[in-house]
Amino acid sequence: MAPSLTPEQSRSMALTERITAGISIVGILFIILTYMFSSSFSKPINRLVFYASWGNLGLCIVALISIDGPDAGEDSALCQFQGFMAQLFLGVDAYWAFCMAINIYLVFFRSYNTKQLRGLDHKYFVTCYGFSLIPAITYLFIKTKERGKIYGGAVLWCWVSTEWSFLRIAVLYIFMWIAVLIAIVIYIMAGRYVWRKRDALDGFLNPFNEDPFAKNVVMTTSVTITSQERKPSLPSYEVREIDQCHADHTYDAYSVNVELGQQRPEMPSRPSRPAVFHIPSVTRAVALSEENVDSFLYARVAFLFFVALLITWVPSSVNRAYALAHPEHINFGLNFTSAVVFSCQGFLNCLVYMATSQSACRKLWAEVMRRDHRLPTSRKESFTAYAMRREGEGHGKQGLDSDATSMTNLTAR
């Protein structure tokens, strides 16, 4: 008999999963809506995060179903649907991190720009989702007498059942960790590259610095300026002798032409500085003149996305290794941690998205607050106009009543 959790443990895990999944859904919807409808967010460095968000949304649906899938039975449509969604979307973040690592390699070592990277997006999209879609569909049609259906109860939700647990390693975890290890190698290579250019790339990995290349690099040079006292100059006069070959025939052969006029004194020329002092003021973007700044920002998003991936996948991998070593026992702490971090993938990716779009977030917030303040003002103005109109009508009616009263009194007389 397969090991199981106590009812209290199952309920606590289900509640935690659903709360964290709800938070992640809010973050995922923020990513999707702002990227689709705001030009401030739809920039190249956010594109792959947007694509990966659809996989996070699928995992959140799995987490919201939670233990209701296993409780419905492995033959139920709900359990089979939950297992299909889990198999389809569990490895997507790892595959996207691998694609981002490939992009980093192309940026740092093959001098790709964002336009060239964009041409690879459709290939990445088909690979990441297509690679998971094939086994996810295939599992729906496999059933044996000894093991039953592939999709069944898997502690947290319906996924590859315990009887088929070797498929979790063979079809998902092994490919996922191969992709992660290749990505780690690429990130180490890129890290060495960043370290060699650390002066120009200062602040590159700071998530709170949206554009580390925007600030000026302060360069200080020591320049010695020499000066000398200048005597006041008097008006000078110029005497020019006309050359014989340019002389006009109307002049005598030995005559001279004297022109009197005030000549503008020439300013003394500034002593030229040695070549070593000819250093222009530069920015970090200029310091990276041979590189594509947008591509470096794009690479930084991939770094942060990879960190978020490790936060979610390391606890799950530890839990899977423990399950292989102790198949007769379930570690509640490891399963609980895996449930929390898996449900938080969308939220963590939203933090990466917001960290690389700080100016766009501030602009969006300012616009929301401006609209929020504008609405009560318009209501107040409408109410004031209505009150003034009613007051005017009241005065008009009072005036008509007064005139009518005066006419009545006059007639009576």
Side-chain angles (χ1 to χ4, degrees):
M1 183 177 178
S4 61
L5 299 172
T6 65
E8 291 77 12
Q9 290 174 334
S10 297
R11 283 195 295 269
S12 64
M13 287 181 60
L15 179 62
T16 305
E17 273 186 319
R18 286 165 176 164
I19 292 175
T20 53
I23 296 173
S24 288
I25 287 176
V26 174
I28 292 167
L29 291 178
F30 176 80
I31 293 174
I32 293 174
L33 294 177
T34 54
Y35 185 86
M36 292 178 64
F37 299 107
S38 174
S39 58
S40 301
F41 288 90
S42 57
K43 48 189 178 181
I45 61 175
N46 289 331
R47 194 167 56 248
L48 292 190
V49 178
F50 169 75
Y51 293 150
S53 295
W54 296 100
N56 300 147
L57 185 61
L59 273 184
C60 287
I61 294 174
V62 172
L64 289 177
I65 298 174
S66 189
I67 60 174
D68 290 346
D71 290 347
E74 69 174 24
D75 292 327
S76 66
L78 181 62
C79 182
Q80 293 299 303
F81 171 76
Q82 187 182 35
F84 169 79
M85 295 287 285
Q87 180 64 34
L88 177 60
F89 295 119
L90 270 175
V92 166
D93 261 20
Y95 300 146
W96 277 114
F98 173 74
C99 293
M100 290 182 179
I102 295 298
N103 281 351
I104 286 181
Y105 175 80
L106 296 175
V107 166
F108 280 78
F109 305 106
R110 291 294 180 266
S111 302
Y112 270 50
N113 55 37
T114 53
K115 184 177 180 181
Q116 291 172 303
L117 295 179
R118 188 182 184 91
L120 301 174
D121 285 353
H122 66 283
K123 298 178 182 178
Y124 292 156
F125 191 89
V126 172
T127 301
C128 290
Y129 288 105
F131 194 72
S132 297
L133 181 63
I134 294 173
I137 294 178
T138 304
Y139 289 174
L140 290 171
F141 303 99
I142 297 177
K143 181 180 180 180
T144 65
K145 292 181 179 180
E146 295 80 12
R147 293 190 174 96
K149 290 186 174 182
I150 292 182
Y151 291 137
V155 182
L156 300 176
W157 45 56
C158 279
W159 183 34
V160 176
S161 64
T162 306
E163 291 75 16
W164 295 89
S165 59
F166 68 93
L167 291 177
R168 303 177 189 175
I169 305 297
V171 181
L172 178 64
Y173 279 92
I174 189 170
F175 290 104
M176 185 273 295
W177 275 109
I178 288 175
V180 169
L181 290 176
I182 294 175
I184 289 175
V185 172
I186 294 176
Y187 287 130
I188 291 175
M189 295 169 59
R192 294 176 59 187
Y193 182 89
V194 171
W195 178 254
R196 289 198 301 268
K197 290 181 174 289
R198 58 188 178 275
D199 292 335
L201 298 175
D202 184 30
F204 177 73
L205 293 178
N206 182 3
F208 300 103
N209 188 359
E210 180 181 8
D211 188 355
F213 309 119
K215 295 181 179 180
N216 289 339
V217 176
V218 178
M219 303 185 68
T220 305
T221 56
S222 177
V223 180
T224 302
I225 300 176
T226 59
S227 61
Q228 59 182 1
E229 183 179 359
R230 179 184 172 189
K231 298 180 180 180
S233 57
L234 296 175
S236 58
Y237 299 94
E238 180 181 14
V239 178
R240 294 185 301 175
E241 182 177 353
I242 298 179
D243 194 85
Q244 178 62 33
C245 61
H246 294 90
D248 196 295
H249 294 288
T250 57
Y251 292 97
D252 186 76
Y254 299 98
S255 65
V256 296
N257 183 26
V258 179
E259 296 182 359
L260 298 179
Q262 187 173 354
Q263 183 181 6
R264 180 177 296 178
E266 296 182 0
M267 299 294 294
S269 60
R270 297 176 59 182
S272 60
R273 293 182 295 176
V276 69
F277 291 124
H278 291 283
I279 304 178
S281 176
V282 297
T283 64
R284 294 186 183 181
V286 176
L288 298 172
S289 58
E290 297 181 358
E291 325 293 354
N292 189 315
V293 174
D294 289 336
S295 298
F296 275 92
L297 295 176
Y298 183 99
R300 189 176 67 152
V301 175
F303 274 118
L304 298 176
F305 185 87
F306 184 73
V307 172
L309 172 72
L310 292 180
I311 293 174
T312 59
W313 270 99
V314 168
S316 175
S317 298
V318 172
N319 182 40
R320 188 54 46 212
Y322 182 89
L324 289 175
H326 306 279
E328 73 288 347
H329 182 259
I330 293 180
N331 189 305
F332 173 73
L334 289 176
N335 278 277
F336 185 85
T337 305
S338 298
V340 171
V341 295
F342 264 131
S343 304
C344 283
Q345 277 189 345
F347 174 71
L348 293 176
N349 290 343
C350 181
L351 293 182
V352 173
Y353 179 82
M354 295 176 67
T356 56
S357 307
Q358 295 175 38
S359 59
C361 289
R362 287 192 293 267
K363 181 180 178 181
L364 178 63
W365 177 254
E367 184 177 352
V368 170
M369 294 301 294
R370 185 165 56 250
R371 290 182 179 180
D372 189 42
H373 286 297
R374 189 186 306 160
L375 184 58
T377 303
S378 61
R379 288 179 178 176
K380 183 177 179 180
E381 291 175 353
S382 300
F383 177 77
T384 304
Y386 175 78
M388 293 179 64
R389 182 170 58 84
R390 295 292 296 173
E391 184 178 358
E393 291 177 355
H395 282 304
K397 183 177 180 181
Q398 182 178 359
L400 291 175
D401 292 342
S402 172
D403 292 343
T405 303
S406 301
M407 289 294 296
T408 303
N409 292 338
L410 187 60
T411 305
R413 291 178 183 177

